[in-house]
Amino acid sequence: MKSMISLCIGLIKRIFILNSLSIIRPDDWHVHFRDHEALHYTVPATAMHFGRALVMPNLQPALTTISVVNAYYERILNALDKTVSFLPYMTLYLNENVLPDDLHHLRQYPHILGAKLYPAGATTNSNEGVHSIKKLYPLLEIMQTHDLVLQIHGEVTHGDIFDREARFIEEFLVPLTHDFPKLRIILEHISTQAAVEFVLQAPTTVAATITPHHLFYNRNQLLAGGLRPHYYCLPILKREHDQRALQQAAVSGNPKFFAGTDSAPHAKKLKENACGCAGIYSAPYALAMYAQLFDELDKIKQLNHFMSVFGAEFYHLSPNQDRIELIKKEQLIPTSLPFVNDDIIPIAAGTTLQWSIHEST
Ligand code: NCD
Ligand code: ZN
């Protein structure tokens, strides 16, 4: 009798609770693949779930010309299993030395979607970044003319680290959107309520990517009860109210917000270090984490557009043709993964996620 009752409860749960979900294959609009040997780890990890990804150009030396971006693009393609259908997209590393001619010709390379602005010193490998946004204005003019997308790491390099995103918006982004009303801009990996509010009131030329870690965590996970270097990234995790604002933006169904994991691998020894590197490695688990978050907020139906439609639309691309199946089934994130000659500690290492990915045929 008892077992009959539990069987019935199980059946009712199966009927009324969503246990699986099919979405259009998603894209990752912000990822770091690194280079050379690392590509054999990072490229397959992203290609496993994502149909396309926008690969960041912060190598050393930085990828500031079309020819070095194209050489890197080839190295990425070479690291890809030919049976997997995955398309990398590229962006040029923007600084005062970028040649105007390269921007004039960028449209001839449909796999290069725009250029990325890093304020000099703001994050990992940003030493070749921009010192004066005003000096970039002639290049931004060209980008606006050719309708190229400007991706921005939106943090100033002075003042309190928790205020750097909000200050960048006030000091640089507000003037920039006034001076270039037609320039399409993506404020990458937003981390604050201030950024959400800015994007909401900005013109439709402005959008933002949101990472799984800024949705899942706040600065307590990084700092309370011990310093956890694997939760250290830039922009740094902020306050709980910022996390909540990001969650609301992500599930809102507003096309200005879409997925960009900012999966940024650093070997374990570079993270567990007296001066640990900024960056969280999430590629293999990002999709399941986004799904769990949307499910917890009772907004799983919005996941498809956030993961697979809004970003493509912003980049004037069609959504992917195929689909991917998500199942509400637990998966344990390993405590460590192999990475080049070291290990890497993935996001949420050693914890259990509520969702898993099942490839549909
Ligand atoms: C990124 C990296 O390691 O390249 N680090 C990070 O903390 N997000 C750079 C970046 O996107 O800021
Ligand atoms: Zn990044």
Side-chain angles (χ1 to χ4, degrees):
M1 186 62 189
K2 226 175 172 184
S3 65
M4 272 297 279
I5 292 171
S6 62
L7 198 73
C8 288
I9 292 174
L11 264 174
I12 290 167
K13 273 193 178 163
R14 264 170 187 271
I15 293 165
F16 291 105
I17 299 173
L18 192 64
N19 280 316
S20 71
L21 179 76
S22 159
I23 63 167
I24 298 170
R25 185 173 296 280
D27 300 311
D28 181 354
W29 294 113
H30 183 130
V31 73
H32 299 267
F33 280 164
R34 312 305 186 205
D35 207 354
H36 306 301
E37 189 55 22
L39 295 176
H40 297 284
Y41 297 79
T42 55
V43 177
T46 291
M48 186 165 62
H49 300 149
F50 295 94
R52 296 169 291 197
L54 182 67
V55 186
M56 291 297 123
N58 62 333
L59 301 185
Q60 277 193 311
L63 305 180
T64 53
T65 65
I66 290 180
S67 72
V68 293
V69 168
N70 280 339
Y72 182 43
Y73 178 67
E74 291 300 325
R75 295 197 293 281
I76 292 169
L77 291 179
N78 286 334
L80 192 63
D81 178 343
K82 299 294 171 286
T83 63
V84 176
S85 82
F86 170 77
L87 285 178
Y89 280 94
M90 314 304 290
T91 177
L92 197 77
Y93 191 109
L94 191 63
N95 65 20
E96 293 89 339
N97 301 324
V98 164
L99 297 172
D101 260 8
D102 267 6
L103 291 177
H104 279 299
H105 295 137
L106 213 63
R107 279 230 162 256
Q108 292 168 21
Y109 303 87
H111 59 278
I112 309 181
L113 295 181
K116 172 79 187 265
L117 187 167
Y118 292 97
T123 188
T124 308
N125 297 352
S126 63
N127 49 319
E128 292 177 68
V130 173
H131 291 276
S132 156
I133 293 190
K134 278 276 172 204
K135 285 202 184 136
L136 273 189
Y137 269 35
L139 295 177
L140 297 178
E141 203 70 64
I142 301 171
M143 290 187 67
Q144 179 170 254
T145 304
H146 294 286
D147 198 20
L148 302 169
V149 176
L150 176 70
Q151 297 95 15
I152 299 185
H153 183 109
E155 287 190 288
V156 295
T157 52
H158 52 268
D160 192 290
I161 189 167
F162 290 101
D163 298 333
R164 288 180 178 193
E165 185 174 86
R167 288 187 70 170
F168 183 91
I169 292 168
E170 267 171 52
E171 291 174 28
F172 296 104
L173 210 45
V174 170
L176 200 68
T177 50
H178 281 122
D179 294 343
F180 296 93
K182 293 199 176 126
L183 180 61
R184 283 189 294 140
I185 295 173
I186 301 187
L187 186 54
E188 300 285 341
H189 42 52
I190 54 170
S191 65
T192 53
Q193 181 174 359
V196 170
E197 285 167 2
F198 168 75
V199 173
L200 282 173
Q201 62 72 50
T204 51
T205 45
V206 178
T209 51
I210 306 183
T211 74
H213 45 275
H214 290 103
L215 291 172
F216 255 63
Y217 306 121
N218 58 57
R219 62 187 185 178
N220 281 0
Q221 275 79 31
L222 172 69
L223 297 169
L227 177 61
R228 294 189 176 75
H230 300 291
Y231 291 78
Y232 175 56
C233 64
L234 290 168
I236 200 161
L237 296 169
K238 302 294 191 309
R239 298 158 181 82
E240 194 180 336
H241 77 86
D242 294 303
Q243 181 193 4
R244 300 273 164 251
L246 295 167
Q247 292 176 347
Q248 291 313 314
V251 303
S252 67
N254 186 324
K256 286 177 157 185
F257 301 102
F258 47 85
T261 64
D262 195 17
S263 179
H266 292 279
K268 181 179 170 183
K269 65 170 177 287
L270 297 173
K271 295 284 292 173
E272 296 177 10
N273 190 294
C275 184
C277 293
I280 293 179
Y281 181 58
S282 63
Y285 308 106
L287 178 56
M289 289 182 75
Y290 283 122
Q292 176 168 328
L293 192 271
F294 276 61
D295 189 23
E296 279 170 7
L297 297 177
D298 219 3
K299 296 280 187 195
I300 193 82
K301 296 255 163 70
Q302 305 280 19
L303 187 71
N304 182 57
H305 279 67
F306 177 81
M307 296 302 311
S308 316
V309 178
F310 294 152
E313 275 176 355
F314 192 84
Y315 279 110
H316 297 168
L317 297 166
S318 305
N320 292 311
Q321 301 271 302
D322 60 333
R323 302 182 74 82
I324 192 164
E325 189 88 18
L326 308 163
I327 332 163
K328 196 160 186 181
K329 183 176 140 217
E330 287 189 350
Q331 65 162 317
L332 179 65
I333 301 188
T335 49
S336 130
L337 294 168
F339 184 65
V340 195
N341 296 320
D342 197 333
D343 293 324
I344 194 159
I345 311 299
I347 191 167
T351 70
T352 301
L353 293 181
Q354 300 307 309
W355 283 78
S356 302
I357 316 303
H358 178 265
E359 295 277 335
S360 56
T361 47

